[in-house]
Amino acid sequence: MFCSRCGQILEGNDRFCPKCGQKIEESQPAESSVNFAQPPLSYPYQQPAGLLPKKKNSWLIPIIVIVAVLVLALLIVGGILVYTVYRTIENDQTNVPASSKNTVVVGEKELSGFLGQTVDTLKNRTGVPLFANDGAYTNLDGSVMATVDSDGAIDMLVISDRDVGFTICGVSVDMSLEEAAAAASAKLPGLEKHEDMIAGQQGDSRFAAYCDEFGKVNYVMYFTGFEEESSGTNASIGTGIWYLGETLQTVWDYFGEGYELFPAAESTDFFYADEGFSFITQDANYTGQSVVSAVWLYQDAWFSDEIFIGMNYYEISRFVDLSEIYQNRFTGAYQADFSMLLDGWECYGSFTFEGPGELSSSTEAYITRG
């Protein structure tokens, strides 16, 4: 038979409907009296007696609403902050004079424009830390060097074979001589090319790049020179190399005539023992207008404003591109050769040292005009 309330099939011994809990009356129609052609009437489902309804998660919706509100608030506040910062930066850029915008680039690699600037400007715009070191400023590995004049303006810039990417007049270390000449010619139209170096001048600024035995640039310098001074080593009157190309009369006017004379068949040597200088002219029959063609410098004499005899190999190599120390097979002396450009003349020479090491002190130097 069936439940008269929900139509559930009932067993013969059921007293209550197992589905809706309706009490089974004795007057319930027999199973055979049901018309199977018509499906039993189904009533809306009711919770059976004795069963508690399931609880709903009533706390979840408020939490979702609170989280959504917080996220929205954060987005709004963040957007306001970003907009404020953007407007501040935009206003700062607007207030910068047009002439000064995009002129300072930290990490600049071309150094020629810093001639005449301060060391602080060089440091700030290249990002290179420079430290005062015996009258010059160098970075930690010595690949960049600058010297300054009495007003604190840079008067010489040098990059060496330890450099890692800087250029001077477009020339970088490890370029071939041909590449260096092509790069520098754009700024130095009167560029001179020699076997192992190139040199040029633009106004008072002078340029020189030297090559190693493999034909690669390993030393580049850019400096300010004047007619009354030799260029390239910051040499002034009173230092040895200043007299290369000068007349004997100039030497006599400054040092007097307290020299010892050593004449030879094709030259004449004027030795000033107290000064540590020996000036040589190629004129055996000299006059006051004879030109000094070579200079010997001995202990304690000044080679230039930065270099004096007695400095060691390492100290001198920060200012002059020295070759490696070698032992002269004829004299047994330890020497290191160099070349440089002075007043448009290519000059050669060597330093003599007490021993083969980089900390060996220099005892003398020789330089002549090519």
Side-chain angles (χ1 to χ4, degrees):
M1 63 180 177
F2 299 89
C3 176
S4 61
R5 186 175 185 181
C6 66
Q8 173 68 29
I9 297 176
L10 303 175
E11 299 294 334
N13 57 352
D14 286 338
R15 299 182 63 189
F16 294 94
C17 176
K19 183 174 182 180
C20 67
Q22 174 68 26
K23 184 177 180 181
I24 306 301
E25 302 291 342
E26 292 182 0
S27 59
Q28 180 76 25
E31 180 177 350
S32 59
S33 64
V34 177
N35 185 359
F36 289 98
Q38 294 290 334
L41 182 63
S42 295
Y43 290 92
Y45 175 76
Q46 294 184 5
Q47 183 70 30
L51 296 179
L52 295 176
K54 295 182 179 180
K55 292 183 178 180
K56 297 182 179 179
N57 295 332
S58 59
W59 50 268
L60 185 59
I61 294 177
I63 290 180
I64 293 175
V65 173
I66 292 172
V67 171
V69 171
L70 289 176
V71 171
L72 180 62
L74 288 174
L75 290 175
I76 294 174
V77 173
I80 294 173
L81 289 175
V82 170
Y83 179 77
T84 302
V85 171
Y86 170 78
R87 292 297 298 173
T88 301
I89 295 174
E90 187 178 49
N91 291 335
D92 290 343
Q93 290 294 322
T94 303
N95 294 330
V96 175
S99 60
S100 65
K101 287 184 180 179
N102 302 320
T103 58
V104 177
V105 180
V106 176
E108 288 185 28
K109 294 294 186 180
E110 171 57 45
L111 303 185
S112 59
F114 294 106
L115 201 66
Q117 302 291 324
T118 65
V119 172
D120 284 342
T121 300
L122 176 62
K123 291 192 295 185
N124 292 338
R125 289 174 57 178
T126 61
V128 177
L130 296 173
F131 305 93
N133 190 353
D134 292 337
Y137 294 86
T138 64
N139 60 344
L140 291 176
D141 67 356
S143 62
V144 177
M145 185 193 73
T147 63
V148 299
D149 59 21
S150 57
D151 295 324
I154 296 174
D155 59 4
M156 181 168 65
L157 291 159
V158 176
I159 55 177
S160 73
D161 56 355
R162 289 162 291 186
D163 174 53
V164 286
F166 291 100
T167 62
I168 292 180
C169 296
V171 177
S172 63
V173 169
D174 285 338
M175 279 185 172
S176 67
L177 198 61
E178 290 72 22
E179 291 172 331
S185 61
K187 188 168 185 177
L188 305 164
L191 192 69
E192 299 178 3
K193 184 178 178 182
H194 303 277
E195 183 178 353
D196 61 351
M197 68 172 294
I198 56 174
Q201 183 174 350
Q202 184 184 48
D204 291 335
S205 301
R206 307 190 183 192
F207 168 89
Y210 303 90
C211 288
D212 58 19
E213 64 271 24
F214 304 108
K216 297 290 187 179
V217 173
N218 64 349
Y219 191 83
V220 186
M221 60 192 306
Y222 196 51
F223 49 90
T224 303
F226 303 93
E227 292 300 323
E228 67 272 13
E229 295 180 353
S230 293
S231 59
T233 55
N234 204 23
S236 60
I237 193 165
T239 59
I241 64 172
W242 186 84
Y243 296 95
L244 278 177
E246 298 293 331
T247 65
L248 287 175
Q249 189 62 56
T250 303
V251 175
W252 297 337
D253 290 344
Y254 191 81
F255 292 106
E257 297 185 4
Y259 52 80
E260 189 174 353
L261 192 63
F262 294 94
E266 298 180 355
S267 64
T268 307
D269 186 343
F270 298 83
F271 175 50
Y272 287 84
D274 292 341
E275 305 295 338
F277 290 149
S278 187
F279 302 102
I280 301 170
T281 178
Q282 297 299 314
D283 295 339
N285 298 318
Y286 64 87
T287 67
Q289 298 306 306
S290 296
V291 174
V292 174
S293 59
V295 178
W296 277 98
L297 303 96
Y298 307 98
Q299 194 70 30
D300 297 328
W302 281 85
F303 181 88
S304 70
D305 286 350
E306 300 93 355
I307 303 168
F308 61 88
I309 306 304
M311 292 175 67
N312 63 41
Y313 173 93
Y314 173 76
E315 293 170 327
I316 296 172
S317 67
R318 291 186 293 109
F319 300 95
V320 176
D321 188 20
L322 295 174
S323 67
E324 292 184 0
I325 297 178
Y326 65 94
Q327 192 167 17
N328 190 306
R329 61 178 179 173
F330 299 107
T331 65
Y334 292 97
Q335 294 178 228
D337 299 331
F338 66 91
S339 64
M340 63 175 59
L341 189 72
L342 298 173
D343 287 336
W345 287 86
E346 190 171 3
C347 299
Y348 304 90
S350 64
F351 282 85
T352 302
F353 297 92
E354 293 177 339
E358 288 192 352
L359 299 182
S360 299
S361 297
S362 56
T363 58
E364 62 183 26
Y366 171 78
I367 185 170
T368 184
R369 284 201 342 183

